[in-house]
């Protein structure tokens, strides 16, 4: 019941936008991969070395991204209608 306040705003979005939001599994997968890579290194001698490790991890993960977001065109159109002032086209 405590989280209901956070869930309700989700239903204010249109169906097209909600379908695009459902695809957060890809985001969670990326976060998990980055956490795993960073955890395995424990310490970085410089900020540049940390950025390099994150960059290489993202580069490797991006190779696996072959499927486009399902129903992206209708969601993109809806984003443009509802948030056109914040979305460059």
């Amino acid at each position: 019941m405590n989280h209901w306040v956070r869930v309700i705003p989700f239903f204010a979005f249109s169906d097209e936008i909600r379908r695009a939001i459902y695809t957060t599994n890809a985001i969670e997968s990326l976060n998990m991969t980055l956490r795993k890579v960073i955890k395995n290194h424990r310490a970085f001698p410089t900020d540049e070395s940390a950025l390099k490790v994150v960059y290489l991890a993202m580069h490797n993960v991006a190779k696996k991204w072959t499927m486009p977001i399902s129903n992206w065109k209708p969601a993109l159109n809806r984003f443009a209608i509802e948030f056109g002032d914040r979305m460059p086209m």
Side-chain angles (χ1 to χ4, degrees), residues 7-30:
V7 173
I8 289 295
F10 175 75
F11 294 107
F13 292 113
S14 66
D15 288 341
E16 296 88 0
I17 292 176
R18 284 199 310 256
R19 285 189 198 107
I21 293 173
Y22 291 154
T23 61
T24 58
N25 287 339
I27 295 167
E28 293 299 325
S29 175
L30 175 63

Side-chain angles (χ1 to χ4, degrees), residues 33-45:
T33 301
L34 293 176
R35 280 192 302 267
K36 185 177 179 181
V37 167
I38 291 170
K39 183 180 176 184
N40 288 341
H41 281 81
R42 301 275 178 194
F44 296 97

Side-chain angles (χ1 to χ4, degrees), residues 69-84:
I69 296 173
S70 61
N71 300 317
W72 177 242
K73 276 204 173 204
L76 186 59
N77 291 334
R78 199 64 190 171
F79 278 121
I81 291 167
E82 294 189 26
F83 307 104

